[in-house]
Every structure is written in C-alpha cells, then in structure tokens.
Amino acid sequence: MVAVACTGAAVAQQLLLLAGYGRLLPGWQPWPFLLLAAPAWWWARGRWRPVERSGLGIRRLRSIPGPVYGLAVLALAAGVWAWLQPYEPYIGHEEAVYANKARAWADGTPAAGWGTYRPPGLPALGRLALAVHDDVGALRATGLILVLFTLTVTYLVAAPWSTPRRGAVVALVVLSGLGFLRRVPEFLNDIGATGLLLLVVWLLTRAQEVRRSWSLPLAAGVAVMAFYLRYGVVGNLVAIAAAAIVAYGPGAWWRVRRRLAMAGLVLAAGLLPHFVYATEVTGSPLGLVLSATEQANRVYVGDGLVYYLAIFPYRLAGDLGAVVMTAGLVLAARRRDARRRFLGLASVLVFVVLGLATDGEPRFVFLPVVLLTVLGVEALGRWRTALAAVAGLAVLTVGGTAQVVAHGAMPDPVRQSASTVPVARALAGGDGPCLVVTGYEPETGWYSGCDAVTYGQYRGAPEGTRITLVLYERGRLQPGRAELTRLIGRHEPTVRRIPTAGSLGTATLITWR
C-alpha cells in the first residue's frame, strides 16, 4: 500500500510539473516520494512477481529494436535543449569565459575573464561554431552536440554491457537528472568531458576482456582529448586508474605491460605541448593543472567531499536517479565480477578524489552518476516490469525536470542578466580599446566587446584606454567609498546611471581615459 501510494504521488508530481503547476511545489522542487516507494516495493517484491509474469504489454515494447529507443532519447534531449533556450536567452557567467576566448581567436576581441588555467578545447570548438554563425545560438548548439555525443556514448557503452534497451534506459535516466539536465542548454565542457571519460572506462574494460586488444593506447588518446577539453578530468583519471588496479589486480595489468607502455607513450606525446606551454607560463609542467585546482572555492580541504555526501544521491540525479544509482551501488558491492567492481569502485573514488581536491558541484561528478546508473539499470533489469516502470517514470521526469530547470533554476540568472546585459550593451562601441571593471566580467565582456576584470584584478590600463567602473545597487565584489576614491585617483571621470529591471538594480558607470 505504501509503495503504491508513494509511487502514485511521485507520478502525480511529475504530471503536475508537466502541466505547468510546479509553483504549487516548494521552489518548483518535487518531493522525493520514490525514496520511500523503492524500499517499500523491495519489501513487497514477492507480491508483485505474478504481475511480472503477466507481461503488461512488455512483449510489445520489447518488439521495438533497442537502437530505436536510443535514437528516441537523443531526439528527446534535442527537444528539451530547444525548449529551454528561450528561458535562458543570455549567455551565463561560466559560458561567457569560454565564449570570449572563442571570439578572441575569431576576431581579436579581448577574452574577458579568461585565465591560462582554463583548457583550450571548448574555445576551439566555439571558434568553429562562430565561423558558421556568429552568435550565442551557435555556441549553445555546440553544447548540444556535446550532450548528444555523451548520451550516445552512454548508450553504446551500456548496451553491450547489458542489452540495447537497457542502454537506452540508462541514457534516459541520466538525462532526467536535475544536475545533468540543468547543464544541457549551456555552452560548457562538463558533459562532453564525461562522454570522453566514459569511453576511457569502457576501453579499460576491453583491455582486460578482449585478448590482444589495442584499447589501452586508444584509451590514452581519449584521455588526452578529455584533458584538453577540461583540465579537471585529472582527478577522474586518477580515480579510474586506481580503481582499475584494485578491481583487476596488478597482475592483470602486468600481463598487458607492452600495450600499457604504448599507452604511456601516447599519453606523454599528447600532453607534451601542454607541459611545454605550462613551463613557459608558470615555470612548472604541472603549473596550470595546480593553478586550476587552486581556483576551487574551498573553505577547507575536504569540504567538497562533505558536500557530495550531503547531496548523494537525491540532489545529484533526482529521486528516480537516486533509486537507480543506489541499486547500482548495491550491485557493485554484492557482485564479485571484476567489471562491476571496477565501475562501482571508480564511482566512489571519483567522489573522494574530487571531493578532496576541489569544491563540490554536481557537474563535476557526472561520470559516477552515469556509471552507477549503468549498474542500477542492470540490477533492476532482472524484473522486466520494474525496468519498464523506470523507463516510463524517466520519460515523465525528463519533462518535469525541464520545467524545474526553466521555472526554478533559470529565473535568478535571467534576472541578473536583465541588469548586466543592458549595461554591457550601453558600453559597446566607441573609439579605441576599452576596459570594464566589474564583478561580472565575463558576461560584461561578451556583450560589450570590451576587456573586463574584477576590482581585485584591476591594475590600470594602457594609455588611451577607456576605463569604466561599474557599480550596481545590489552588486557583488564591489569596492567601498575609500577604495573607489583611490581607484579614480586624479582622473576626472564622467558619471552616469542606468536604471535596470534586473535583480542588481540601478548601475552607476564611472568612466575616464
């Protein structure tokens, strides 16, 4: 009775969200009823096994080829991406950093907000996109391609490990998670890097399961690609390597030592340009990677791990994804199969390594979400009715989560952009170079075409540069009166105010040359 009631409540919530009435829920957030329903169904599993034998239309669903389901998931992802675009029309803070660098390579516009600790992969893809069409839509379409790539890899990896239909369910459950779906409409590198890391994991399993396989050198090549797309994958790769050694044993890797050595050569050759550049910029081959780690907003070492423990698994993947991930974790713990042990151990170690090295964000740990979802769908696949129910709930949850993203997650950034974008556009144009000092430097740089820095980064500008200090009524990282007086110095600035409809209020612009 509890299982049926909680499942019904979970379905009703998703239907409520789909119908556009999510405002009736606190913060557009559904209650995690499935976290109560799952153990109740498990407790009563003996009672619903006869329903399993009755089929409930399962045969008809099974007559549809697995690849058709996979393509349907990709189409759903593309549809959700397109539907969400109008709800976040302006490029966001983190997106603008990479967009500015891509545009800098295209036409020489200053790369506002860019730091040498950031990887060049996404701006390179953005440069190609801007050559096709010079606007935000082209960059966001690049993000869509990365999303479709990762979901395709998820399906292609999960299908041979279980069945094509289960592979489609894995991709569908991953897509339904709030952490994942929140990043689908954006121009970021986290989802694309996850697809490459998943390929590395799959190639490592093939290296042990297929005799005379060349998977190890290929895995090294894919790891290099992932590194240039996102430097943060180093922690993931360390966790994956440690899990592979423990799960398969050192002896298993010693038996393929020649191919392992070849993989090492591929890795070294691929990373050599980075090491040379990092040495020139920082004086150390590892300087850029360490610099990227230092950008983490940690309060103390390990606060990322505490964060992941606090949100695991519900806040990472929603209640449906949480149930599936927990089933995967249980499967990995109970089975002695090396591959399952490897996937489970890699998932846990990624949380630990990244939790110790950086601050916590859901987008940093998409890989363990995917791996545990693969295992969870495999665990639930022994009951066809349960798997069909998961697939059906996942379809509803994708739509419901899209509504949560559109009406719960996106309004705050959009309200902020309603302040920063008109101010940035007011600064566009003019003669000569320009520099904007603001707490919102990447997005201001994108919409103004000027270089932009924070107040903490400002160190003056070359002669003839138009310098503008932007102060918002409710802005962040802004100087006090004494510091502002020091920054202006002996200059005779012009001051103007721009009322905005956004959350930051009226902007004060202080300009001089």
Side-chain angles (χ1 to χ4, degrees), residues 163-250:
T163 68
R165 294 180 187 85
R166 293 180 189 177
V169 174
V170 170
L172 186 60
V173 173
V174 169
L175 178 62
S176 72
L178 177 59
F180 189 92
L181 194 55
R182 174 65 184 90
R183 301 303 171 186
V184 163
E186 297 181 333
F187 176 62
L188 293 174
N189 54 14
D190 307 280
I191 291 179
T194 299
L196 293 172
L197 289 170
L198 187 57
L199 276 178
V200 171
V201 171
W202 176 69
L203 289 167
L204 289 179
T205 63
R206 282 187 61 83
Q208 291 297 332
E209 296 171 3
V210 179
R211 293 188 60 186
R212 299 178 180 178
S213 168
W214 291 96
S215 297
L216 284 175
L218 286 174
V222 175
V224 170
M225 295 170 62
F227 177 78
Y228 283 117
L229 184 60
R230 187 173 186 276
Y231 289 156
V233 302
V234 171
N236 289 267
L237 293 172
V238 169
I240 291 169
I245 293 172
V246 173
Y248 290 101

Side-chain angles (χ1 to χ4, degrees), residues 127-403:
R127 170 65 181 87
L128 296 176
L130 292 177
V132 175
H133 199 278
D134 187 9
D135 69 355
V136 173
L139 297 174
R140 292 273 179 85
T142 303
L144 172 62
I145 292 172
L146 293 176
V147 169
L148 297 180
F149 163 76
T150 295
L151 290 176
T152 300
V153 171
T154 300
Y155 169 78
L156 293 177
V157 167
W161 283 347
S162 51
T163 68
R165 294 180 187 85
R166 293 180 189 177
V169 174
V170 170
L172 186 60
V173 173
V174 169
L175 178 62
S176 72
L178 177 59
F180 189 92
L181 194 55
R182 174 65 184 90
R183 301 303 171 186
V184 163
E186 297 181 333
F187 176 62
L188 293 174
N189 54 14
D190 307 280
I191 291 179
T194 299
L196 293 172
L197 289 170
L198 187 57
L199 276 178
V200 171
V201 171
W202 176 69
L203 289 167
L204 289 179
T205 63
R206 282 187 61 83
Q208 291 297 332
E209 296 171 3
V210 179
R211 293 188 60 186
R212 299 178 180 178
S213 168
W214 291 96
S215 297
L216 284 175
L218 286 174
V222 175
V224 170
M225 295 170 62
F227 177 78
Y228 283 117
L229 184 60
R230 187 173 186 276
Y231 289 156
V233 302
V234 171
N236 289 267
L237 293 172
V238 169
I240 291 169
I245 293 172
V246 173
Y248 290 101
W253 298 108
W254 177 253
R255 286 191 289 271
V256 293
R257 57 188 177 277
R258 292 183 178 179
R259 291 181 176 82
L260 199 59
M262 291 184 63
L265 291 175
V266 171
L267 195 64
L271 295 180
L272 181 61
H274 170 80
F275 290 147
V276 171
Y277 175 67
T279 302
E280 291 179 356
V281 174
T282 68
S284 168
L286 300 178
L288 292 182
V289 173
L290 296 176
S291 176
T293 302
E294 291 170 358
Q295 304 305 313
N297 297 317
R298 293 183 300 182
V299 179
Y300 54 88
V301 175
D303 68 342
L305 182 58
V306 173
Y307 173 78
Y308 290 135
L309 290 173
I311 68 171
F312 182 87
Y314 169 61
R315 298 299 299 173
L316 281 173
D319 57 349
L320 177 62
V323 170
V324 176
M325 288 172 62
T326 302
L329 198 58
V330 172
L331 178 68
R334 296 179 64 179
R335 296 291 181 90
R336 296 185 178 182
D337 175 78
R339 184 208 297 158
R340 295 186 182 94
R341 189 165 60 245
F342 169 46
L343 300 183
L345 187 57
S347 300
V348 173
L349 288 181
V350 167
F351 283 117
V352 173
V353 172
L354 294 185
L356 294 175
T358 68
D359 56 325
E361 281 197 44
R363 63 192 179 101
F364 295 164
V365 290
F366 286 154
L367 178 65
V369 170
V370 174
L371 294 180
L372 290 177
T373 302
V374 170
L375 292 171
V377 169
E378 183 181 354
L380 296 172
R382 57 189 291 193
W383 298 293
R384 295 177 184 175
T385 302
L387 193 61
V390 167
L393 276 171
V395 172
L396 285 178
T397 304
V398 168
T401 305
Q403 290 277 16

Side-chain angles (χ1 to χ4, degrees), residues 423-467:
V423 170
R425 286 174 172 166
L427 294 170
D431 298 329
C434 51
L435 173 66
V436 183
V437 186
T438 174
Y440 308 87
E441 74 280 16
E443 54 268 57
T444 300
W446 174 262
Y447 286 104
S448 68
C450 299
D451 197 2
V453 295
T454 64
Y455 284 94
Q457 296 167 338
Y458 177 64
R459 297 293 183 273
E463 189 70 26
T465 301
R466 187 183 82 229
I467 300 173

